[in-house]
């Protein structure tokens, strides 16, 4: 991996981390998500959805992890959606 690509990836990850931290500070969790337990539920549901893609008729694999992440945005606000997206979409190949 060349240096400019590495710098781009590090800068993007740092900016995303700063924005997630700002979202957590600015927008508290909405009560509709069910507190920390509800947040863990949506993280687990998103993790399972991202781990089990749907195969379309011509062999294309599509991830359906967007649906629970979007639901967490509606129920819990921007901070909840950021946390769910960050924790729920990890793949073991990425670690």
């Amino acid at each position: 991996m060349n240096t400019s690509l590495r710098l781009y990836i590090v800068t993007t990850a740092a900016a995303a981390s700063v924005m997630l931290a700002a979202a957590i500070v600015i927008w508290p969790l909405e009560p509709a998500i069910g507190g920390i337990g509800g947040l863990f539920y949506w993280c687990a549901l998103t993790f399972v959805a991202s781990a089990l893609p749907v195969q379309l008729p011509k062999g294309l694999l599509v991830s359906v992890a967007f649906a629970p992440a979007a639901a967490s945005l509606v129920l819990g606000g921007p901070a909840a959606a950021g946390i769910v997206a960050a924790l729920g979409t990890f793949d073991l190949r990425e670690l």
Side-chain angles (χ1 to χ4, degrees):
M1 181 180 329
N2 67 23
T3 307
S4 62
L5 178 60
R6 185 180 308 255
L7 178 65
Y8 177 74
I9 291 171
V10 168
T11 304
T12 303
S17 300
V18 168
M19 296 193 63
L20 178 59
I24 292 170
V25 170
I26 295 170
W27 293 288
L29 290 179
E30 298 289 331
I33 200 163
I36 299 297
L39 193 64
F40 285 138
Y41 168 78
W42 288 105
C43 282
L45 191 63
T46 304
F47 182 76
V48 169
S50 70
L52 301 171
V54 175
Q55 186 169 7
L56 297 179
K58 291 188 177 184
L60 182 68
L61 292 175
V62 177
S63 173
V64 292
F66 178 75
S72 70
L73 172 65
V74 171
L75 292 173
I83 294 168
V84 167
L87 298 179
T89 57
F90 270 116
D91 192 355
L92 293 177
R93 295 173 290 179
E94 296 172 351
L95 298 177

